[in-house]
């Protein structure tokens, strides 16, 4: 009898301790459920928005309005600028107004070449280049050639902040780029703007003619992450390697 009474007392003490739990502990379960439900809702909204952006980006652009569109043109050193200027020479200039040229801060030649192109176009039309139709800007480079990866972390952060400021200032409707690494932070921010509904910028990437079998690193990033609305290649074997790319033939 004594052992049975001891066990009953132990059970009674245990029940008493359970009943003494503060009401807050019960509420913690509800709070956790609320947080989990909110998290699931937020993730669902982000996924739906992402799918919507990817769907709209993959649609044909022919039915869009034919009015002039603000255009950001990203230049790179060397052959990148030469190819981009050759492409611009055959575009309908009145469709892409205003035009904003951007090159890396350490690139001293690309913007000068772009200025020469704009001056020659203005001379042909008997006009002059005005600031409200053509602007030339520089952006910090994420990583210089030969720079260590440790120090490039800091320079990449600076480049992203600068790219954010430029994109807020320009807010282009069209972005043209063809390979320089400078385009990645600008295109990434443009894609982020699409996601949050700030600005819809159509990104067109033209791979360099030097890329015959594999995309450049910039092209591969834009292709894999589906940030580019349309990605053009100049070799048929490159298009076979990357089926979502569009083969346009050699542009040079």
């Amino acid at each position: 009898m004594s052992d049975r009474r001891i066990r009953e007392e132990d059970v009674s003490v245990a029940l008493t301790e359970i009943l003494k739990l503060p009401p807050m502990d019960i509420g913690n379960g509800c709070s956790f459920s609320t947080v989990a439900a909110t998290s699931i809702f937020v993730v669902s909204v982000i996924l739906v928005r992402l799918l919507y952006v990817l769907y709209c980006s993959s649609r044909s652009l022919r039915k869009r309005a034919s009015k002039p569109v603000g255009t950001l043109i990203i230049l790179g050193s060397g052959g990148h600028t030469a190819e981009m200027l050759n492409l611009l020479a055959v575009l309908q200039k009145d469709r892409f107004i205003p035009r904003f040229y951007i090159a890396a801060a350490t690139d001293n030649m690309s913007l000068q070449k772009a200025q020469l192109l704009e001056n020659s176009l203005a001379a042909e039309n008997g006009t002059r280049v005005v600031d409200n139709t053509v602007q030339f800007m520089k952006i910090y480079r994420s990583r210089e050639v030969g720079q260590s990866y440790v120090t490039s972390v800091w320079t990449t952060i600076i480049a992203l902040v600068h790219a954010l400021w430029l994109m807020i200032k320009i807010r282009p409707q069209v972005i043209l780029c063809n390979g320089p690494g400078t385009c990645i932070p600008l295109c990434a921010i443009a894609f982020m703007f699409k996601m949050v509904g700030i600005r819809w910028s159509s990104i067109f990437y033209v791979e360099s003619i030097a890329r015959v079998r594999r995309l450049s690193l910039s092209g591969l990033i834009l292709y894999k992450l589906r940030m580019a609305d349309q990605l053009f290649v100049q070799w048929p074997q490159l298009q076979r390697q990357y089926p979502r790319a569009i083969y346009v033939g050699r542009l040079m």
Side-chain angles (χ1 to χ4, degrees):
M1 289 292 293
S2 60
D3 292 340
R4 180 179 178 183
R5 181 174 297 177
I6 292 174
R7 287 197 298 270
E8 289 177 349
E9 290 178 353
D10 291 340
V11 172
S12 177
V13 170
L15 289 174
T16 302
E17 293 298 325
I18 292 175
L19 293 175
K20 287 182 180 179
L21 289 175
M24 186 179 299
D25 290 343
I26 300 176
N28 285 341
C30 296
S31 300
F32 177 78
S33 301
T34 303
V35 172
T38 303
S39 301
I40 293 173
F41 175 76
V42 171
V43 171
S44 300
V45 170
I46 293 174
L47 288 176
V48 170
R49 177 64 182 178
L50 176 61
L51 292 175
Y52 173 77
V53 169
L54 294 177
Y55 168 74
C56 292
S57 298
S58 63
R59 287 167 48 190
S60 174
L61 303 174
R62 295 178 182 177
K63 296 182 181 180
R64 296 188 180 179
S66 59
K67 62 182 181 180
V69 291
T71 303
L72 172 61
I73 302 163
I74 305 173
L75 303 175
S77 58
H80 292 300
T81 293
E83 290 188 29
M84 179 59 73
L85 296 182
N86 284 336
L87 176 62
L88 294 174
V90 298
L91 292 181
Q92 298 177 355
K93 309 301 182 300
D94 55 342
R95 287 285 312 278
F96 301 93
I97 296 177
R99 291 186 291 276
F100 304 91
Y101 292 88
I102 285 186
T106 54
D107 184 355
N108 298 319
M109 296 297 297
S110 295
L111 291 182
Q112 293 181 14
K113 294 177 180 178
Q115 288 175 335
L116 290 175
L117 172 65
E118 289 294 339
N119 289 335
S120 64
L121 293 174
E124 291 177 2
N125 298 327
T127 60
R128 63 185 183 86
V129 178
V130 292
D131 292 339
N132 62 343
T133 58
V134 179
Q135 294 187 36
F136 305 92
M137 304 175 178
K138 289 191 175 184
I139 184 174
Y140 291 111
R141 192 190 293 267
S142 299
R143 181 176 180 269
E144 298 290 345
V145 177
Q147 181 181 353
S148 68
Y149 289 103
V150 176
T151 59
S152 65
V153 173
W154 173 246
T155 55
T156 299
I157 294 174
I158 295 176
L160 285 171
V161 173
H162 193 202
L164 176 61
W165 179 81
L166 287 172
M167 289 298 294
I168 293 175
K169 179 181 179 181
I170 300 172
R171 299 183 67 183
Q173 294 167 275
V174 170
I175 297 178
L176 298 178
C177 50
N178 68 335
T182 308
C183 73
I184 296 301
L186 293 166
C187 291
I189 292 172
F191 189 81
M192 181 186 69
F193 281 4
K194 285 184 184 180
M195 288 290 298
V196 298
I198 294 177
R199 184 65 162 179
W200 192 283
S201 300
S202 297
I203 302 173
F204 299 98
Y205 182 90
V206 182
E207 186 58 276
S208 171
I209 193 172
R211 292 290 174 169
V212 179
R213 298 187 181 280
R214 292 186 180 277
L215 292 174
S216 62
L217 179 58
S218 299
L220 189 63
I221 292 173
L222 296 180
Y223 181 87
K224 292 294 186 181
L225 298 181
R226 296 176 179 264
M227 288 194 290
D229 291 68
Q230 293 185 350
L231 190 147
F232 303 99
V233 296
Q234 303 185 52
W235 295 95
Q237 57 267 41
L238 192 58
Q239 194 277 331
R240 289 193 293 269
Q241 183 75 13
Y242 304 93
R244 285 188 287 106
I246 301 172
Y247 170 61
V248 292
R250 280 172 280 185
L251 301 175
M252 293 188 65

